[in-house]
Amino acid sequence: MNEHLEVANPVRTKAIMERYGLHTKKSLGQNFLTDLNVLKNIVSAAKITEQDNVIEIGPGIGALTEQLALNAKQVVALEIDDQLIQVLHEVLVDYHNVKIINQDVLQANLPEIIETQFDDPSRPIKVVANLPYYITTPILMQLLTSPVKWDSIVVMMQKEVAQRLAATPGNKSYGSLTLAVQYQMDTHIAFDVSRRVFIPAPNVDSAIVVLEPRSQAPAVLPFDERSMFRLIKGCFAHRRKSLYNNLQSVFGKTPEIRTQINAVLEQNDLSPQIRPERLSLDQFILLTNSCHTAGLLS
Ligand code: SAM
């Protein structure tokens, strides 16, 4: 058996760390996965095949990278910690379909990396990662605002954040992050992961979230996406307040604006007392367009 296939167990992980004198860096969100079953399940959830190009964010000491390499056409892994680069090259020496790039993903030009690092950039492109928790949201926003058309994004994150991404209207986790993600992607939690399968164990449990391009576009499109997301953020600024009060905080409280807000709510068949978390994405889109027509949003 290839000895590198044993990377993902606690003994082997500790042995690699000792051999290279590594100490995990909390500041970089380093919690290494040590359970081969969990790793294989992540690769299955991402439906990786030998047709796929995969970008991995934060390979650590290569446990997930190795499983990806076994299943994908090519893997390009971006790791910020220069201390891990040599380790990765050595641990993954047998895998000729892996490239390691020493880079901060938040500074990376992803379209350029795809174009220059993959032999055939036209293949399906998937992101798979055990994300560094301290920058989960910025990374997701970077991926979703990138011009790249991802075939899927399958990522591990803090369970609480995963629940926000997959929430439905009325749920306490439902909010502006939910809507920002679900505007583009169908989203579901594939499975939960116990904190016990990491070295070191984080303080929270985790979950694997699967994001795939929406199978159906929203029923209506907003007149302007940025304005819609600004409005959504404003509507969730005070979750315990009514939609009407939140809209007043966004647009102002003059009698004229109050009349406009009331008209917009009536037009959309929304009670002024309704809480923002009750509105579906389609309702937020309609609300955005009505606010635009009423002259409240430009
Ligand atoms: N993939 C490995 C695993 O599953 O065991 C490690 C996952 S660990 C949770 C997160 C990894 O992301 C660490 O290796 C860390 O150094 C790396 N990382 C943190 N910030 C990063 C950034 N801005 N860009 C790229 N990698 C980063």
Side-chain angles (χ1 to χ4, degrees), residues 28-34 39 56-65 78-81 84 103-106 129-135 139 156 198:
L28 291 179
Q30 291 180 351
N31 301 97
F32 298 144
L33 251 174
T34 62
L39 292 161
E56 187 193 2
I57 298 162
I61 59 167
L64 179 57
T65 325
L78 308 179
E79 173 56 60
I80 196 172
D81 186 355
L84 295 178
Q103 189 163 25
D104 176 351
V105 66
L106 295 177
N130 170 12
L131 290 177
Y133 292 171
Y134 73 109
I135 45 170
I139 292 175
M156 170 133 62
F198 298 89

Side-chain angles (χ1 to χ4, degrees), residues 35 72 103 117 120 131 161 187 236 247 249 254 263-264 281 286:
D35 187 312
Q103 189 163 25
Q117 300 297 323
D120 178 2
L131 290 177
V161 182
T187 305
F236 281 101
L247 288 172
S249 305
T254 65
V264 162
L281 173 63
L286 291 169

Side-chain angles (χ1 to χ4, degrees), residues 4 9 18 22 32 51 65 75 80 88 101 106 123 126 135 139-140 157 168 190 212 231 235 266 273 275:
H4 300 293
N9 73 54
E18 255 170 46
L22 295 175
F32 298 144
Q51 300 302 317
T65 325
V75 181
I80 196 172
L88 283 162
I101 303 182
L106 295 177
R123 287 177 175 278
K126 298 180 174 176
I135 45 170
I139 292 175
L140 283 173
M157 62 188 68
T168 48
E212 288 166 323
L231 178 71
C235 286
E266 207 176 304
Q273 298 316 317
R275 292 273 171 81

